[in-house]
């Protein structure tokens, strides 16, 4: 099967890194930072978007806003052959921001937000009661020390 990944050169990587720092940066400023023409920036962005290397532009909330509630990582162990059903049920829970299949001690790790300790407790009970979930282990995020977005 051929490799369908788009090759990224150094300029692509620098462009993506600049956008991860400030996704609202103007094309003109990106061109100046990278030492290339604006039309080159525009065409590279179009190519990266079309290839789904860049799938969207967003907002990362500052710690002050995020501190209004709780964030936690939940390691989830599931029973054999129940992964698809567990993922389907967990994806219906709005407080789960991200769910990743992982190697190691857990089958999945969920990143979730809640407005209060009581809501977190209820959500953890919900996750634990999903058919196929064997065990959960929760770590509440106390503070974010480094946040670089997703690396390329």
């Amino acid at each position: 099967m051929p490799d369908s990944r788009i090759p990224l050169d150094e300029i692509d990587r620098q462009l993506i890194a600049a956008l991860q720092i400030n996704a609202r940066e103007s094309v003109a400023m990106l061109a100046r930072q990278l030492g290339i023409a604006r039309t080159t920036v525009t065409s590279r962005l179009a190519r990266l978007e079309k290839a789904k290397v860049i799938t969207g532009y967003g907002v990362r909330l500052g710690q002050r806003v995020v501190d209004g509630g709780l964030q936690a990582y939940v390691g989830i162990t599931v029973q054999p052959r129940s992964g698809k059903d567990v993922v389907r049920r967990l994806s219906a829970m709005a407080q789960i921001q991200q769910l990743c299949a992982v190697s190691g001690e857990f089958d999945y790790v969920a990143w979730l937000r809640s407005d209060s300790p009581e809501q977190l407790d209820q959500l953890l009970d919900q996750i634990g009661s999903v058919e196929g979930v064997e065990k959960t282990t929760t770590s509440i995020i106390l503070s974010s020390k480094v946040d670089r977005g997703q690396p390329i």
Side-chain angles (χ1 to χ4, degrees):
M1 173 183 267
D3 188 357
S4 62
R5 292 183 294 175
I6 182 173
L8 299 178
D9 65 14
E10 188 57 30
I11 292 174
D12 289 333
R13 291 179 190 283
Q14 289 175 8
L15 178 58
I16 292 167
L19 288 170
Q20 286 178 311
I21 293 168
N22 182 4
R24 296 185 64 194
E25 194 68 78
S26 70
V27 170
M29 182 57 78
L30 290 167
R32 275 194 292 279
Q33 287 175 1
L34 300 175
I36 58 177
R38 286 180 292 180
T39 55
T40 303
V41 170
T42 302
S43 65
R44 282 179 181 259
L45 286 173
R47 181 177 55 86
L48 293 169
E49 290 168 359
K50 183 178 179 186
K52 304 227 183 296
V53 172
I54 296 175
T55 59
Y57 300 86
V59 174
R60 286 197 310 249
L61 300 175
Q63 193 68 35
R64 288 182 178 175
V65 174
V66 174
D67 282 344
L70 294 173
Q71 297 181 73
Y73 287 105
V74 180
I76 303 167
T77 305
V78 300
Q79 296 169 348
R81 292 180 292 285
S82 61
K84 283 184 182 179
D85 288 335
V86 169
V87 168
R88 185 176 47 78
R89 290 188 175 108
L90 293 178
S91 44
M93 297 178 187
Q95 295 94 339
I96 295 179
Q97 303 295 304
Q98 188 174 45
L99 180 65
C100 300
V102 297
S103 63
E105 180 180 353
F106 308 110
D107 298 305
Y108 300 97
V109 173
W111 170 46
L112 51 94
R113 294 177 191 253
S114 70
D115 293 329
S116 66
E118 294 79 18
Q119 186 187 51
L120 177 61
D121 186 41
Q122 291 172 357
L123 181 59
L124 293 172
D125 285 346
Q126 268 185 291
I127 293 170
S129 68
V130 167
E131 187 174 332
V133 171
E134 235 172 50
K135 176 181 108 172
T136 63
T137 302
T138 304
S139 295
I140 294 173
I141 298 172
L142 301 175
S143 68
S144 178
K145 302 297 186 189
V146 176
D147 182 358
R148 293 189 178 99
Q150 292 184 332
I152 57 170

